[in-house]
Amino acid sequence: MTEPAIWIRNLHKSFGANPVLRGVSLDIPPGQVVCVLGGSGSGKTTMLRCIAQLETAEDGLIVMSGELLGLRERNGRLVPRSAHDIARQRRLAGMVFQRFNLFPHMTALENVMEGPVRVQKRPAAEVRSEALELLRSVGLEHRADHYPAQLSGGQQQRVAIARALALKPAVMLFDEPTSALDPESVGDVLAVMKSVAASGVTMLVVTHELSFAREVADRILFMDGGVILEDAPTADFFGTPREDRTRAFLAAVLGQKSTA
Amino acid sequence: MTRTTEASRLLALPRGGRIAWTQIASGVVLLALCAWIIHAFAVGQIEWRYVGQFLFVPSILRGVGATLLMAICAMALGMVVGIVLALGRLSTAWLPRIVSGLYVWLFRGVPVILQLLIWFNLALIFPHVTLPGVGSYRTVDLMTPFLSALFGLGLNQAAYIAEIFRAGFQSVDRGQYEAASAIGMTRLMAMRRIIFPQAFRTVIPPLGNEFINMIKLTSLASLIQYPEVLHNAETIYYANTRVIELLIVAGFWYLTAVTVLSPLQHLLERRFARGKSS
């Protein structure tokens, strides 16, 4: 069996007295596209942020691309890695945020080039042509010199995807990438995500877009109360959900969609 | 009631403005007041020719230079210390937070003039200063008026600049730190490339304000014999007793310095406004 792209065991995380993750375990093989569904407070975003090392789990382990994240073994104990090492590990995955978080003082092109040039210290000329190619692939080469404030939400999110892809990560993490968008832009962003999925990158997508999940995902996770309640291939998940809680969730979301 | 037939006729009428009687009235009052003040100064006991005579004498010009030099140096010291303090204040560790907090509390709480006097009279507390590896010095020789004024003004300024930068750093969205981390930046690089440029554009207006304040604040250094423009003007009027004339000369130069600086601030603001919605 091939090494999984993401391997998670027994992940626990709480904010204050409030447990958000209560023992998450997961294997994602390379190239798989996984959508994570669940109500608010189910822990789906926190799990993603732990993988991106924007949160530190209290217990449990994550291995990504053969590296134990955030921790290392020393004298028979697990100790935190250095800040420098963690910064390096964060590049293993590209992260796309709900609110885009583009750098407002840089143009679209500069946003995409920032990581490869400043962090990876690659030559600017070479990165520039790659970055323009990336912007073309998200349909925004004509916006390369625009600042984020001059772009629509959907355009900003596509630049953000290009920025994450610029570091050539093996894994892409999406945290509700279309939740902050107007309905017209959602389609453009989902189309870009579809083409990323087709390129063979491992994807973990926290989303509320059921039709996207149904069409693109290989596998669906349903989270509830800080655990993965249901984990099934896409067709089985939508066709024959096992858990009552999943059925209730699907009924609520699909019912809401049809009345809207 | 206006009938629509009547209204149709009104459609063709030209539009006039409202006459701003209150503005006209207050304008007249203000003009009269200005005329009265100018007249008072013109017929008052001021020998204007002395003002013109002393405006460009070498001692005054050297004073202007010293004033600007001190304002720039003290501001630079204040910026460096202030930014470090602001970072300390926002640190996740408690020690830098407490140290920064204490610093700001102390230096904001004591009048500047008192701080200047303490630095100038440091020799009374520490007669000798030993710099490891350099040697031992008499504090009286070390604490020249320049250094005393620099420390007094600069370190006091740092407390205010720390607060300005703290607000500046806090105004940057948390998502910016996260996006910078996500592309593999270390804290230092994220600070330098992402956070600082965004914080800086919000702190330019208050910093410009502080610099203008600093130019005027340097006049306090005249008290500890630093030869800035007010000190040199005083030296002249002790000899020739043209007190008001020389104070006007000094005032003219402060006003000139501040007037020249304001457009510079605008330029800086424009430069750092990159990417602000247009």
Side-chain angles (χ1 to χ4, degrees):
Chain A
M1 189 191 146
T2 54
E3 272 292 300
I6 302 175
W7 178 95
I8 302 177
R9 286 296 176 274
N10 196 31
L11 207 60
H12 282 81
K13 168 79 185 172
S14 46
F15 293 113
N18 177 29
V20 185
L21 294 179
R22 298 189 300 178
V24 169
S25 296
L26 179 64
D27 284 66
I28 300 178
Q32 196 170 58
V33 177
V34 179
C35 279
V36 188
L37 306 179
S40 64
S42 60
K44 54 194 195 308
T45 288
T46 305
M47 177 181 76
L48 204 71
R49 290 171 58 85
C50 285
I51 299 170
Q53 299 202 65
L54 296 172
E55 307 283 357
T56 313
E58 282 115 33
D59 199 8
L61 298 179
I62 306 174
V63 173
M64 186 159 54
S65 307
E67 289 205 33
L68 178 60
L69 296 189
L71 300 165
R72 63 194 177 85
E73 194 184 346
R74 192 178 65 190
N75 304 331
R77 299 167 61 97
L78 282 176
V79 294
R81 287 180 185 262
S82 68
H84 193 269
D85 217 16
I86 289 175
R88 181 188 58 77
Q89 284 193 328
R90 287 204 180 99
R91 299 205 311 258
L92 294 172
M95 177 84 178
V96 176
F97 299 89
Q98 184 178 350
R99 301 218 46 97
F100 335 132
N101 295 349
L102 288 182
F103 306 131
H105 56 305
M106 298 180 184
T107 62
L109 181 64
E110 287 167 344
N111 265 279
V112 178
M113 290 176 65
E114 184 70 9
V117 172
R118 299 291 163 175
V119 180
Q120 292 181 319
K121 315 274 185 217
R122 292 176 49 207
E126 178 188 312
V127 171
R128 192 187 159 80
S129 60
E130 276 184 26
L132 283 169
E133 187 51 47
L134 272 170
L135 284 175
R136 195 183 341 273
S137 73
V138 300
L140 288 172
E141 72 274 27
H142 58 297
R143 292 279 185 268
D145 294 326
H146 285 55
Y147 286 98
Q150 300 166 314
L151 300 174
S152 74
Q155 291 173 331
Q156 288 190 52
Q157 192 61 300
R158 285 185 278 155
V159 173
I161 293 172
R163 175 176 69 180
L165 288 172
L167 291 160
K168 299 178 180 144
V171 173
M172 283 286 284
L173 307 170
F174 295 83
D175 182 13
E176 302 192 21
T178 57
S179 299
L181 297 178
D182 54 297
E184 285 165 79
S185 317
V186 171
D188 294 336
V189 171
L190 292 181
V192 166
M193 289 168 63
K194 236 177 270 183
S195 70
V196 175
S199 73
V201 174
T202 309
M203 275 170 63
L204 193 56
V205 185
V206 170
T207 187
H208 296 298
E209 297 286 335
L210 293 193
S211 54
F212 172 82
R214 199 193 287 257
E215 188 183 346
V216 181
D218 301 313
R219 172 183 173 191
I220 309 284
L221 306 177
F222 179 73
M223 289 188 72
D224 190 52
V227 294
I228 296 174
L229 200 63
E230 187 146 357
D231 175 356
T234 306
D236 297 351
F237 181 87
F238 287 105
T240 53
R242 276 181 293 112
E243 301 287 332
D244 290 342
R245 202 45 210 93
T246 315
R247 279 195 287 271
F249 175 82
L250 285 175
V253 177
L254 292 172
Q256 193 183 28
K257 275 275 152 70
S258 59
T259 54
Chain B
M1 198 179 126
T2 312
R3 292 184 165 278
T4 46
T5 47
E6 169 78 354
S8 317
R9 187 183 61 80
L10 296 180
L11 211 53
L13 292 184
R15 301 245 171 162
R18 186 183 288 127
I19 300 173
W21 289 112
T22 45
Q23 281 197 40
I24 292 172
S26 46
V28 168
V29 170
L30 220 65
L31 266 173
L33 205 65
C34 283
W36 180 67
I37 292 174
I38 291 171
H39 178 257
F41 270 85
V43 302
Q45 302 211 344
I46 302 174
E47 295 279 353
W48 286 99
R49 61 191 174 85
Y50 278 106
V51 175
Q53 190 183 325
F54 281 100
L55 209 48
F56 297 104
V57 297
S59 141
I60 290 292
L61 292 182
R62 254 183 283 124
V64 174
T67 292
L68 290 179
L69 177 71
M70 178 54 66
I72 291 168
C73 291
M75 196 67 187
L77 178 64
M79 289 266 276
V80 172
V81 179
I83 290 173
V84 171
L85 286 170
L87 292 176
R89 203 106 199 246
L90 295 173
S91 167
T92 47
W94 60 270
L95 188 66
R97 270 210 313 271
I98 295 218
V99 171
S100 300
L102 275 176
Y103 183 101
V104 171
W105 169 76
L106 183 67
F107 280 80
R108 273 207 312 195
V110 178
V112 196
I113 185 115
L114 211 142
Q115 292 180 42
L116 284 170
L117 289 170
I118 289 177
W119 284 108
F120 193 54
N121 293 304
L122 202 66
L124 299 179
I125 320 173
F126 310 107
H128 293 274
V129 174
T130 308
L131 299 173
V134 185
S136 186
Y137 298 92
R138 290 201 320 149
T139 309
V140 206
D141 303 331
L142 219 55
M143 290 315 285
T144 57
F146 178 83
L147 267 189
S148 309
L150 179 64
F151 286 164
L153 295 172
L155 295 181
N156 174 69
Q157 189 64 48
Y160 290 90
I161 289 180
E163 289 298 283
I164 290 173
F165 268 94
R166 182 168 70 112
F169 288 137
Q170 280 174 333
S171 75
V172 179
D173 184 46
R174 258 196 67 82
Q176 291 290 311
Y177 289 90
E178 295 190 345
S181 302
I183 60 168
M185 286 192 172
T186 57
R187 259 185 86 83
L188 191 71
M189 186 184 275
M191 218 55 205
R192 197 165 55 77
R193 294 284 309 166
I194 308 300
I195 307 304
F196 196 79
Q198 292 181 60
F200 204 65
R201 81 179 165 200
T202 65
V203 301
I204 293 171
L207 278 186
N209 204 30
E210 289 296 318
F211 191 50
I212 283 169
N213 258 329
M214 175 56 85
I215 289 181
K216 294 177 292 175
L217 217 54
T218 52
S219 58
L220 287 182
S222 62
L223 235 94
I224 55 168
Q225 311 308 317
Y226 179 68
E228 47 72 61
V229 64
L230 181 62
H231 178 269
N232 290 6
E234 285 172 342
T235 312
I236 298 173
Y237 74 58
Y238 287 144
N240 71 1
T241 72
R242 293 290 164 194
V243 177
I244 294 298
E245 288 81 356
L246 278 143
L247 288 181
I248 289 174
V249 165
F252 168 84
W253 283 112
Y254 285 115
L255 206 55
T256 304
V258 171
T259 309
V260 169
L261 274 164
S262 303
L264 280 180
Q265 182 186 331
H266 270 288
L267 271 170
L268 212 60
E269 274 175 43
R270 285 244 306 270
R271 171 73 184 74
F272 273 87
R274 285 200 316 153
K276 204 97 186 182
S277 50
S278 53

